[in-house]
Amino acid sequence: MFSKFTSILQHAVEALAPSLPLQEDFVYHWKAITHYYIETSDDKAPVTDTNIPSHLEQMLEILSQEELERESGETGPCMEYLLHHKILETLYTLGKADCPPGMKQQVLTFYTKLLAHIRQPLLPHINVHRPVQKLIRLCGDVLAAPTENEEIQFLCIVCAKLKQDPYLVNFFLEVGCCPQAVLPLWRGHPSVLPDFVLGFCIRLSIVQDGRIVVKACEGLMLLVSLPEPAAAKCLTENTELCELLTDRLVTLYNALPPSMDPLDIETVESINWGLDVYNGKEDAAMFAGKRPLISFLSWLDYCDQLIKEAQKSAASVMAKAVRERFFVGVMEPQLMQTSEMGILTSTALLNRIIRQVTSEALLQEMVRFLLGDESEAETPSTIAQNPVRHRLIEHCDHLSDEISIMTLRLFEQLIQKPNQHILHSLVLRNLEERNYLENKPPEEREPIENGQPHDAVDLEEDPLFGDDLSPDSRLPSSDWLSPSPSHSPDHSKSEGKTEVHKIVNSFLCLVPDEAKSSYFVEGSGYDTYLRDAHRQFRDYCGICLRWDWRGSPKAFEKCNLELPFFEGHFLKVLFDRMGRILDQPYDVNLQVTAVLSKLSLLPHPHLHEYLLDPYVNLAPGCRSLFSVVVRVVGDLMLRIQRIPDFTPKLLLVRKRLLGLEPEGITIDHVTLLEGVIVLEEFCKELAAIAFVKYHATASTSP
């Protein structure tokens, strides 16, 4: 109480006294602090019971006022006095001794405000950056200290200054002595940067105060984003930053329950790393493991954003550490296990991880883990070359429908990521030589049916297929698809519009009329797929623009057609699944066709030819998507004859799937009937994709 009264009295006297020049006033306040240590005999009284905080605050105000009164960049006498008399060195010594108690907190606050409020660059001065380095090393020497908030504020302002002027990092890469406190993180490089990492990572690991954790994360993000290669090398090679980040990721993953509902994993709300404020008591959609799941996803988001913001070489090293220590060390054994519940949970978590990763470096390393680095065409004997890739693709055709569906969803998510190697590894490398085409002279080939099927829809009279599509619905120009799709290497090209109508009708008429049920339900026509196809194709074109994909099919004479064709493990499993569409559960069929339609949307000439050209001349023993569907339809025609009242049953099943009819009496052959409905819808979707891809090219071609 007495000290507060003294402080108030002192301020009153200063206010009434004639104003001194700034330098004299500054020296007065500094000498008042030094006199305290000379005159006082009670060094146990807290600093808040003295006038030291007030004097320090006055010194900061004087320095700020002096800078305002001078031209930009000019150093005033008060600042000169601070630098010449090594005031920061003295304050560091007092703070280190914490005498009187609480002095360390005052010193940290003074440093923080000085660096934040003074606009002229201070860190290049030797009498600033040396005491700053020493104070950095002082941060974190006591865990859960009462000064942790001030420490993190100080470290963050130094990081902000380094981010603002990256060249300043060189002052923190000097040779110096390394204190014992940082030896566990320091690998022989005499730099102060490991002390930064130490201070931040300690708080990331043990502090319970969410605000301090967020500040620590922000500071670390500033630090790794420094563009100086020396700083990046120091952070990644001479500290345990990568280990600390990945160890926490592993710890949080291992804290998850061994089995979780895939739907819960898929639908849990997205959590940004700075907003992990989950309250289980207020959550109406609570489920077992939600809190640890949110914590894991939040930390994954932070690692992803940290790698995204980091200097390029630092980002690469951190991403590789995540692959080796988390994906290979933790995820791989989970995916390779034999427990169906374990496989399902780990696959659902991996699917969520794929969905969440956005940084280029981390995505690249994740793809390497999932698919390997191989770029040569597959053969039946090499499909097991990468164990994780092989196991995941095999899981697309697992005995457990749940595992099959979840793994197919994973691949659907994966092929939409902006990474060229994904599609090259899964499909494109096997189509590069176009050796799925028949290698015979034209006169020896079997004739192709010309003209449209007798019951084809006349698209010329359909307003939906008119040429008056609005300009904003057209897609960017691309030359990968010729206006007239080539039926064979030397197929004569007639008018493109007629050709695309043939292709569209080939898909629309695949399913015979007696097996169609969409005619009887309003709003289920072919046109319903066009808008989605337009949007998805436009999105894919945006992703693929920066890839070095060829603009037109590889010249037939340059293809090595003598090589035996193998569609690759991924397409083989998808085609096998598609061939069993009449005997598989409805949800499995939906997911298989979803993946195939995504592949069909890709703007690559070989993939378009292989998946969407019904007239392509296939080499003996080869199959395409169209040929697989043709075989399914042939099987369907035989089986329809054995099902009484087939059409009414089919229509009833469709209405039940749409929710237009309540569940009632049990219908026999329901799996087949649902398969027929999916088959019809899939053919309509492929027709829409073929038309959209044609029109996108035709509308922008000269």
Side-chain angles (χ1 to χ4, degrees):
M1 178 64 74
F2 178 74
S3 65
K4 290 183 180 178
F5 175 74
T6 305
S7 178
I8 293 170
L9 183 63
Q10 178 186 335
H11 281 297
V13 171
E14 291 170 356
L16 294 173
S19 59
L20 296 171
L22 286 178
Q23 184 180 3
E24 290 183 27
D25 203 11
F26 185 80
V27 173
Y28 162 75
H29 288 292
W30 175 240
K31 288 187 179 293
I33 294 173
T34 56
H35 286 162
Y36 168 84
Y37 288 95
I38 296 171
E39 298 171 358
T40 188
S41 59
D42 182 14
D43 59 356
K44 294 184 179 179
V47 72
T48 51
D49 288 349
T50 72
N51 291 326
I52 292 176
S54 174
H55 289 303
L56 289 172
E57 191 66 35
Q58 288 297 315
M59 290 170 66
L60 286 168
E61 289 182 11
I62 291 169
L63 290 170
S64 297
Q65 183 181 346
E66 180 184 68
E67 187 176 50
L68 288 173
E69 294 175 357
R70 294 184 170 271
E71 294 183 8
S72 176
E74 184 181 351
T75 303
C78 297
M79 183 60 73
E80 290 281 6
Y81 185 89
L82 179 139
L83 296 173
H84 182 70
H85 289 80
K86 300 182 179 181
I87 288 177
L88 293 179
E89 286 276 4
T90 306
L91 286 174
Y92 159 74
T93 303
L94 298 175
K96 182 179 181 181
D98 200 29
C99 178
M103 189 60 187
K104 180 180 176 182
Q105 190 174 30
Q106 296 298 322
V107 171
L108 285 163
T109 301
F110 183 85
Y111 272 63
T112 302
K113 290 183 176 180
L114 180 69
L115 293 174
H117 296 164
I118 301 302
R119 295 191 302 274
Q120 63 176 295
L122 295 177
L123 286 175
H125 293 283
I126 191 170
N127 288 334
V128 176
H129 71 252
R130 278 191 176 174
V132 166
Q133 286 182 0
K134 293 177 181 179
L135 195 58
I136 288 170
R137 292 191 174 109
L138 199 59
C139 295
D141 62 341
V142 178
L143 301 184
T147 58
E148 62 184 12
N149 186 52
E150 287 74 19
E151 289 177 18
I152 210 69
Q153 296 288 346
F154 165 67
L155 292 171
C156 280
I157 192 63
V158 176
C159 285
K161 288 295 179 182
L162 295 180
K163 178 68 174 176
Q164 184 179 337
D165 295 304
Y167 79 94
L168 294 174
V169 76
N170 294 302
F171 295 109
F172 295 87
L173 294 172
E174 304 183 305
V175 173
C177 295
C178 180
Q180 293 294 319
V182 298
L183 282 178
L185 286 174
W186 193 55
R187 300 174 184 165
H189 187 81
S191 162
V192 78
L193 278 177
D195 301 87
F196 271 114
V197 180
L198 174 70
F200 286 126
C201 289
I202 285 174
R203 278 151 189 79
L204 297 179
S205 301
I206 61 127
V207 172
Q208 298 298 316
D209 190 333
R211 294 169 300 173
I212 293 177
V213 172
V214 169
K215 289 298 290 184
C217 289
E218 289 173 352
L220 196 53
M221 196 167 286
L222 287 171
L223 203 57
V224 300
S225 66
L226 294 175
E228 293 291 324
K233 184 176 181 181
C234 176
L235 281 167
T236 54
E237 294 184 8
N238 304 304
T239 77
E240 292 183 3
L241 169 64
C242 295
E243 289 86 340
L244 287 167
L245 291 173
T246 52
D247 284 352
R248 179 159 185 178
L249 193 65
V250 169
T251 300
L252 291 171
Y253 183 89
N254 289 334
L256 298 173
S259 63
M260 300 174 70
D261 188 336
L263 187 61
D264 289 336
I265 297 171
E266 193 171 348
T267 57
V268 69
E269 59 271 17
S270 297
I271 301 294
N272 294 327
W273 63 266
L275 302 173
D276 183 8
V277 288
Y278 175 72
N279 187 342
K281 294 180 180 179
E282 300 176 1
D283 187 4
M286 180 64 182
F287 58 84
K290 186 169 186 178
R291 170 69 266 185
L293 176 60
I294 288 177
S295 295
F296 168 74
L297 294 176
S298 175
W299 187 249
L300 173 69
D301 181 61
Y302 176 68
C303 293
D304 183 46
Q305 295 302 317
L306 190 71
I307 293 170
K308 181 185 284 188
E309 295 295 327
Q311 193 262 5
K312 190 172 182 180
S313 61
S316 177
V317 173
M318 288 190 288
K320 287 177 181 176
V322 174
R323 175 172 65 88
E324 292 166 4
R325 297 170 66 89
F326 174 67
F327 285 116
V328 175
V330 178
M331 288 298 300
E332 183 171 343
Q334 293 289 310
L335 296 169
M336 303 295 281
Q337 65 181 302
T338 55
S339 164
E340 290 192 358
M341 184 56 70
I343 294 171
L344 185 61
T345 301
S346 59
T347 305
L349 286 166
L350 180 58
N351 185 32
R352 182 61 191 254
I353 292 168
I354 292 171
R355 193 174 92 192
Q356 192 159 315
V357 168
T358 58
S359 66
E360 186 175 347
L362 186 54
L363 177 60
Q364 180 68 32
E365 293 301 322
M366 182 173 65
V367 170
R368 286 185 63 202
F369 161 70
L370 293 172
L371 304 179
D373 297 317
E374 295 79 19
S375 59
E376 298 297 320
E378 293 177 84
T379 65
S381 61
T382 62
I383 59 174
Q385 200 167 358
N386 184 289
V388 174
R389 180 185 189 275
H390 180 260
R391 183 64 63 90
L392 284 173
I393 294 176
E394 286 291 304
H395 284 173
C396 292
D397 198 4
H398 199 275
L399 289 174
S400 165
D401 292 332
E402 280 189 292
I403 291 176
S404 295
I405 292 170
M406 183 49 63
T407 311
L408 286 164
R409 282 182 185 167
L410 183 150
F411 278 107
E412 183 185 9
Q413 190 74 238
L414 190 62
I415 61 179
Q416 296 178 77
K417 303 299 284 188
N419 183 285
Q420 188 175 358
H421 183 67
I422 296 171
L423 296 163
H424 181 78
S425 173
L426 290 175
V427 288
L428 294 178
R429 58 173 166 159
N430 304 306
L431 307 179
E432 184 61 29
E433 295 300 326
R434 299 177 73 196
N435 46 350
Y436 47 84
L437 296 173
E438 187 176 25
N439 184 19
K440 286 184 180 180
E443 61 273 10
E444 296 181 19
R445 294 178 189 153
E446 296 181 5
I448 302 171
E449 287 188 21
N450 293 319
Q452 299 179 355
H454 71 280
D455 55 349
V457 180
D458 187 359
L459 300 180
E460 298 288 349
E461 299 177 3
D462 190 336
L464 185 64
F465 294 93
D467 294 326
D468 57 346
L469 289 179
S470 60
D472 58 351
S473 69
R474 296 179 179 179
L475 303 173
S477 176
S478 55
D479 59 354
W480 57 270
L481 177 63
S482 61
S484 177
S486 59
H487 296 169
S488 62
D490 58 354
H491 175 73
S492 61
K493 297 184 177 181
S494 57
E495 186 185 352
K497 188 173 183 179
T498 304
E499 297 299 335
V500 76
H501 289 174
K502 286 182 180 179
I503 292 174
V504 168
N505 276 303
S506 294
F507 284 110
L508 289 179
C509 300
L510 259 179
V511 178
D513 286 345
E514 55 266 39
K516 291 180 178 178
S517 55
S518 58
Y519 295 147
F520 305 102
V521 179
E522 186 178 353
S524 59
Y526 157 74
D527 57 313
T528 57
Y529 290 97
L530 280 175
R531 186 175 299 276
D532 281 344
H534 267 291
R535 176 183 55 78
Q536 293 179 47
F537 182 62
R538 183 176 59 244
D539 292 344
Y540 266 126
C541 287
I543 292 172
C544 303
L545 276 176
R546 59 194 181 104
W547 297 345
D548 56 345
W549 278 3
R550 57 174 65 251
S552 57
K554 186 176 181 179
F556 193 60
E557 58 274 11
K558 295 181 179 180
C559 296
N560 187 356
L561 300 175
E562 300 301 325
L563 285 176
F565 176 67
F566 176 54
E567 65 256 45
H569 194 194
F570 186 56
L571 282 180
K572 177 184 181 302
V573 169
L574 290 178
F575 285 175
D576 289 346
R577 275 291 198 183
M578 192 66 207
R580 304 198 301 270
I581 192 171
L582 301 179
D583 303 296
Q584 293 173 155
Y586 178 71
D587 290 336
V588 173
N589 288 335
L590 286 181
Q591 202 56 54
V592 171
T593 54
V595 175
L596 285 168
S597 66
K598 291 288 190 302
L599 292 174
S600 301
L601 280 160
L602 289 166
H604 191 285
H606 295 174
L607 202 55
H608 177 84
E609 177 180 59
Y610 186 60
L611 295 182
L612 287 179
D613 191 346
Y615 297 96
V616 68
N617 280 313
L618 292 173
C622 296
R623 57 180 179 172
S624 66
L625 178 57
F626 189 80
S627 71
V628 171
V629 177
V630 166
R631 290 190 182 95
V632 172
V633 171
D635 181 36
L636 172 63
M637 295 302 293
L638 296 175
R639 295 167 72 170
I640 284 178
Q641 311 302 324
R642 300 194 293 266
I643 302 176
D645 302 321
F646 177 82
T647 302
K649 289 178 180 177
L650 184 66
L651 181 59
L652 180 58
V653 170
R654 175 180 279 274
K655 288 183 176 180
R656 285 184 178 178
L657 290 173
L658 294 172
L660 302 177
E661 287 283 344
E663 293 293 331
I665 58 172
T666 303
I667 302 176
D668 53 353
H669 305 289
V670 68
T671 299
L672 182 143
L673 295 170
E674 289 175 343
V676 173
I677 292 168
V678 173
L679 181 65
E680 181 187 355
E681 296 302 312
F682 182 53
C683 289
K684 291 192 294 185
E685 186 174 12
L686 292 177
I689 292 170
F691 177 78
V692 163
K693 291 174 80 172
Y694 160 75
H695 200 280
T697 305
S699 63
T700 53
S701 58

